[in-house]
Amino acid sequence: MDLSTGIAVYRLMQQLANDKIRFLYHGGEPLLNFSFIRDFTEYVQRRADNDGYQVDFCLQSNGSLVSDVTADYLATNRIGIGISLDGANESTNRMRIAQTGLPTFQDSLRGLRILLDHGLDPGVIIVLTQANYSHITEIIDFLVEEGVRNFTLNPLILGGRGSESRQGLSPRQYLEVNKQVIELIAHLDSNRGLRITERNIEYLMMNILSEERRYMCLRSPCGAATNLLGFAHNGDIFPCDDFSGIASLKIANVFDQDAADAVAASAITTRFAGETVDKFDPCRCCIWRWVCNAGGCASRRFYANNSTASPDPMCDYYRRMLPYLLFHIGTGKLDPIRFVSPRSARFL
């Protein structure tokens, strides 16, 4: 993306947002275009206060291009960063390779260490696959020793490169992994005094403890097209970044005349806003529907079923995980607050 397209994105968001805007740099490897990140961030920072907007920035990277210069820039400009790293060695991280076909593990680990040395608090996204799921406690132990305290364990989405992979987990495998992670988090808390959070478990706990649904990927309808938009490099607008490049889900382009009106009036926007768990089977009859909210993630449903108005492919996971959590909370084995970050707990 070039700066003129970024400026058009910002101007569009001014028309659509209330008073808060968050920009996430990701897709491919955003640090390949660090000059855009720098120029766009500074452009928005110069204008946001006068325009009456509270704006923050975050970035998702594999970390391989992180340097002292980029880490210092991120820290100075308060740009949050997450690192995509699937393993504790090249074997468990083998799904993440460079365009050359070479492994990225050592470069990603070096980047992670630079960020930590600069006082940043990077979370780590781990995509669970057949290559790494049986090593999950080893991977988390390794990253905790490196200084990481926040994780997200995501199932493989069957879009993009994932559509060609048979590496995804079954709901039962994902369940067993998460049970291991819950036990590990509880152990690290009680035995070492370490507060570790895994985001998907954190927000499930928050959905159990509160009627409010703060996490857009675990609510119904999700935030796609209403609280969230994805932008391609040429300014094409999609309901979520996971749908970037899907022609049938293109809403408009930032350079279109009256682009904001086009987004608001789009049939795609209306469709996503109306897709709630009480509208489709089997979710409408499920007792857990307003806790898991059909998994929330429209893109996961779309890539699995070619339809967003469908159950989450991880439905069986939620139907088993929620009773598990409630039983262990009720018997006192798990304290749900210990799985929620202090920043999120203030909303409970």
Side-chain angles (χ1 to χ4, degrees):
M1 183 176 287
D2 59 29
L3 183 59
S4 63
T5 306
I7 290 172
V9 169
Y10 174 62
R11 290 175 176 167
L12 173 66
M13 295 309 298
Q14 285 181 294
Q15 299 176 67
L16 295 174
N18 293 322
D19 59 349
K20 297 180 181 179
I21 306 173
R22 169 171 291 180
F23 292 105
L24 168 63
Y25 302 115
H26 82 141
E29 176 46 59
L31 289 178
L32 285 168
N33 197 4
F34 181 67
S35 60
F36 168 78
I37 293 171
R38 181 193 60 223
D39 294 345
F40 179 74
T41 299
E42 293 172 10
Y43 174 89
V44 173
Q45 287 175 334
R46 288 194 299 269
R47 288 160 175 77
D49 285 343
N50 288 336
D51 293 340
Y53 291 91
Q54 177 184 327
V55 178
D56 61 12
F57 303 88
C58 46
L59 183 151
Q60 188 66 37
S61 166
N62 70 11
S64 63
L65 298 179
V66 169
S67 66
D68 287 314
V69 172
T70 54
D72 183 64
Y73 185 85
L74 297 175
T76 300
N77 290 276
R78 298 181 179 180
I79 299 175
I81 183 166
I83 296 296
S84 301
L85 184 64
D86 294 345
N89 49 49
E90 290 181 357
S91 176
T92 51
N93 196 57
R94 68 175 181 262
M95 297 296 291
R96 295 197 182 273
I97 56 174
Q99 287 186 330
T100 60
L102 295 174
T104 60
F105 174 75
Q106 293 298 334
D107 289 335
S108 296
L109 181 59
R110 176 191 51 79
L112 175 64
R113 287 170 173 169
I114 290 172
L115 294 170
L116 291 164
D117 286 344
H118 280 257
L120 292 160
D121 182 26
V124 170
I125 288 182
I126 300 170
V127 175
L128 293 167
T129 66
Q130 298 295 333
N132 65 5
Y133 85 98
S134 62
H135 302 278
I136 192 60
T137 56
E138 167 194 336
I139 293 168
I140 291 180
D141 278 335
F142 171 78
L143 292 171
V144 166
E145 293 306 313
E146 290 289 336
V148 178
R149 297 294 180 264
N150 305 293
F151 300 89
T152 304
L153 305 181
N154 284 337
L156 182 70
I157 289 181
L158 301 176
R161 287 191 303 155
S163 63
E164 303 171 1
S165 172
R166 297 184 178 180
Q167 289 290 317
L169 302 190
S170 70
R172 297 289 181 92
Q173 289 173 317
Y174 190 58
L175 175 71
E176 293 310 312
V177 169
N178 277 277
K179 285 181 179 180
Q180 291 178 49
V181 171
I182 288 168
E183 291 181 4
L184 178 58
I185 290 173
H187 172 79
L188 291 170
D189 182 22
S190 61
N191 290 276
R192 295 182 56 186
L194 295 177
R195 190 75 172 267
I196 308 297
T197 56
E198 193 287 318
R199 188 171 66 165
N200 292 313
I201 294 170
E202 174 186 29
Y203 281 105
L204 263 186
M205 291 293 196
M206 291 182 70
N207 278 11
I208 290 170
L209 295 171
S210 171
E211 295 181 7
E212 188 174 6
R213 300 291 180 255
R214 299 193 60 84
Y215 182 37
M216 70 176 66
C217 294
L218 204 59
R219 71 185 188 208
S220 176
C222 73
T226 52
N227 300 107
L228 167 73
L229 291 171
F231 299 92
H233 68 93
N234 64 350
D236 284 347
I237 307 168
F238 298 90
C240 169
D241 44 283
D242 283 341
F243 295 122
S244 184
I246 304 296
S248 62
L249 292 175
K250 175 185 169 182
I251 297 174
N253 185 282
V254 293
F255 293 111
D256 292 344
Q257 187 174 7
D258 302 321
D261 291 338
V263 171
S266 168
I268 295 172
T269 302
T270 301
R271 181 179 118 200
F272 275 82
E275 286 184 348
T276 56
V277 291
D278 56 340
K279 299 287 180 62
F280 49 86
D281 292 322
C283 297
R284 75 175 85 215
C285 301
C286 178
I287 62 170
W288 305 111
R289 63 188 181 278
W290 294 114
V291 184
C292 82
N293 293 296
C297 183
S299 67
R300 200 160 61 212
R301 303 196 304 268
F302 176 82
Y303 287 115
N305 307 312
N306 201 32
S307 170
T308 53
S310 60
D312 192 304
M314 286 293 169
C315 176
D316 191 51
Y317 161 75
Y318 291 107
R319 289 169 57 191
R320 295 173 186 277
M321 176 54 81
L322 286 165
Y324 171 86
L325 291 176
L326 288 171
F327 176 80
H328 288 291
I329 291 169
T331 56
K333 183 177 179 180
L334 297 178
D335 178 357
I337 294 296
R338 305 306 295 176
F339 291 84
V340 177
S341 68
R343 181 172 60 183
S344 296
R346 72 182 191 270
F347 297 109
L348 294 174

